[in-house]
Amino acid sequence: MEAFSNYDLLDVITGRKVAEGHKASFCLEDTSCDPGVRRRFACTAHTQGLGPGCYDTYNANIDCQWIDVTDVPPGNYILKVTVNPAMQVQESDFSNNIVKCDIRYTGSYVHARNCRITGS
């Protein structure tokens, strides 16, 4: 799958995209689950998926886990993360696939706050 998640950095005033990234996917599996929830899917067993209450978690140092902000000036932005943007993975509910966070970029670091599930 070419893009399992899209990461868009938007100008807080205009909503214009100023930078972007994406997460390619080759396997979905339950790498961790909420307490009391049993893992159901693992790539090694050739049964891909994400069970309710489980997560496919990646370390930050894996490629395609970031947005290149080299040419982005310091300021306030919105990070928009869209999971399963082309709806290629079957889900019981697509309404919770977009999260937006308020971002303050200083030129040296990023502070995220007010993350919320949105419809668009």
Side-chain angles (χ1 to χ4, degrees):
M1 183 180 317
E2 187 173 319
F4 180 72
S5 299
N6 290 334
Y7 312 130
D8 297 324
L9 191 64
L10 310 174
D11 181 277
V12 74
I13 296 171
T14 66
R16 185 180 59 87
K17 188 185 308 185
V18 297
E20 64 186 353
H22 73 276
K23 167 68 180 123
S25 179
F26 63 92
C27 181
L28 294 173
E29 66 179 340
D30 298 335
T31 56
S32 58
C33 299
D34 290 339
V37 177
R38 194 173 138 251
R39 290 178 58 189
R40 294 176 27 200
F41 298 101
C43 294
T44 56
H46 304 292
T47 55
Q48 294 189 44
L50 289 175
C54 295
Y55 318 94
D56 191 4
T57 307
Y58 295 85
N59 291 328
N61 63 346
I62 296 175
D63 200 17
C64 291
Q65 300 292 315
W66 40 264
I67 297 173
D68 183 355
V69 295
T70 303
D71 297 325
V72 176
N76 294 316
Y77 298 92
I78 296 172
L79 173 63
K80 178 182 176 185
V81 178
T82 307
V83 178
N84 194 16
M87 298 184 191
Q88 290 180 292
V89 177
Q90 183 180 352
E91 297 185 50
S92 61
D93 181 5
F94 292 98
S95 69
N96 60 354
N97 287 15
I98 299 174
V99 172
K100 290 182 179 176
C101 299
D102 297 330
I103 299 292
R104 173 73 183 138
Y105 174 51
T106 68
S108 299
Y109 68 91
V110 172
H111 176 75
R113 63 180 184 80
N114 192 28
C115 295
R116 63 243 176 237
I117 296 173
T118 67
S120 59

